[in-house]
Amino acid sequence: MELDGRVVVVTGGTRGVGAGIARSFLAAGAQVVVCARRPPGEPVAADGREASFAALDLRDPAAVRDFFATVARRYGRLDCLVNNAGGTPYRLLGEGDAERHARVVELNLLAPMTASLAARPWLGRARGSVVMIGSVSGTRPSPGTAAYGAAKAGLENLARSMAVEWAPEIRVNCLVLGMVRTERAHLHYGDEAGIEAVGATVPLGRLAEPADVGDAAVFLASDRARYVSGASLLVHGGGERPAFLDAATVNKES
């Protein structure tokens, strides 16, 4: 298979988008290690193969360094790091103190940098790659998740700088995600009718599935993307229809 023999780490790979990414790498033949603070309810698996799990707090730099050293000893190599762990609750800036918002930035920006630095020696030996999981929240206003949007904007810029500094040994790219349907989608979009209504606003007519993100990550990690570095790949189904088009009083069909 395309990534047969490659070793991949997916942070936050036990559920949602992360689990979808891990399954896509498993289906492509890679050996996959997922890490999170808590184990998955059931093994992350695809095509009869399972990802291994390691408990890890990405906010602990020493533990992160030990984790990657252990992965390298166990498998003898590391070919790709997918920095997927992240997220945030909905909270307006004025409804939380600075320390609470700073923790969001820590998880979504500093933790990926910590993991990338710890993985760098082994990725360099394998001439591997880093895939950042960004968000459209980092490219537009993000009311209610302002700290998250700011962190994701920083993550995309970090990826571009890393791509320059770490070339030619390591490629670094970013997937910029739109809305994804996961087991927690109802927390963001409501019941099934709400999820379908939100999906209808996307030009392709639906929310992304985790596998859509996973397949894009596999591409960036594969030899098919061997000359792609410092890139931001939009995985958002065509984006969002500009609000002014619906408000304008011209170019309307009678």
Side-chain angles (χ1 to χ4, degrees):
M1 291 183 282
E2 191 165 17
L3 297 182
D4 204 15
R6 309 283 179 91
V7 177
V8 179
V9 168
V10 181
T11 68
T14 58
R15 68 181 184 186
V17 171
I21 293 171
R23 292 188 187 102
S24 291
F25 275 101
L26 287 168
Q31 298 182 80
V32 180
V33 181
V34 297
C35 60
R37 285 185 294 171
R38 290 177 291 275
E42 57 185 36
V44 178
D47 293 353
R49 305 173 62 243
E50 292 185 4
S52 62
F53 168 77
L56 179 65
D57 184 346
L58 290 164
R59 296 168 298 183
D60 183 343
V64 172
R65 288 190 292 269
D66 288 344
F67 164 73
F68 282 103
T70 299
V71 169
R73 285 195 301 270
R74 178 177 177 183
Y75 295 98
R77 62 186 296 157
L78 176 62
D79 297 275
C80 181
L81 164 63
V82 182
N83 280 308
N84 165 78
T88 184
Y90 181 90
R91 181 179 294 111
L92 295 172
L93 276 173
E95 295 177 355
D97 55 30
E99 290 82 0
R100 189 178 296 270
H101 294 304
R103 287 196 289 273
V104 173
V105 176
E106 181 182 22
L107 175 61
N108 290 280
L109 178 57
L110 299 184
M113 182 167 62
T114 297
S116 299
L117 287 166
R120 182 187 180 188
W122 293 280
L123 290 172
R125 293 171 194 172
R127 298 188 76 86
S129 69
V130 176
V131 178
M132 302 291 196
I133 303 301
S135 170
V136 294
S137 294
T139 66
R140 55 159 170 72
S142 188
T145 57
Y148 174 81
K152 290 299 188 180
L155 187 67
E156 195 172 348
N157 187 272
L158 175 65
R160 294 194 189 108
S161 297
M162 286 170 57
V164 174
E165 290 193 15
W166 293 2
E169 290 82 12
I170 301 171
R171 295 184 300 106
V172 185
N173 293 292
C174 187
L175 292 179
V176 181
L177 307 188
M179 297 176 289
V180 185
R181 181 177 184 134
T182 69
E183 63 270 28
R184 298 169 64 85
H186 65 282
L187 298 178
H188 301 281
Y189 313 121
D191 58 14
E192 191 64 28
I195 292 172
E196 290 185 6
V198 172
T201 70
V202 178
L204 288 187
R206 64 175 177 85
L207 303 187
E209 298 291 338
D212 296 321
V213 181
D215 290 347
V218 167
F219 163 70
L220 289 179
S222 76
D223 292 338
R224 295 172 186 259
R226 59 188 174 275
Y227 200 64
V228 180
S229 193
S232 295
L233 177 59
L234 294 168
V235 185
H236 62 5
E240 301 175 359
R241 177 179 171 84
F244 77 84
L245 292 176
D246 296 320
T249 59
V250 298
N251 299 321
K252 301 287 187 180
E253 293 183 4
S254 58

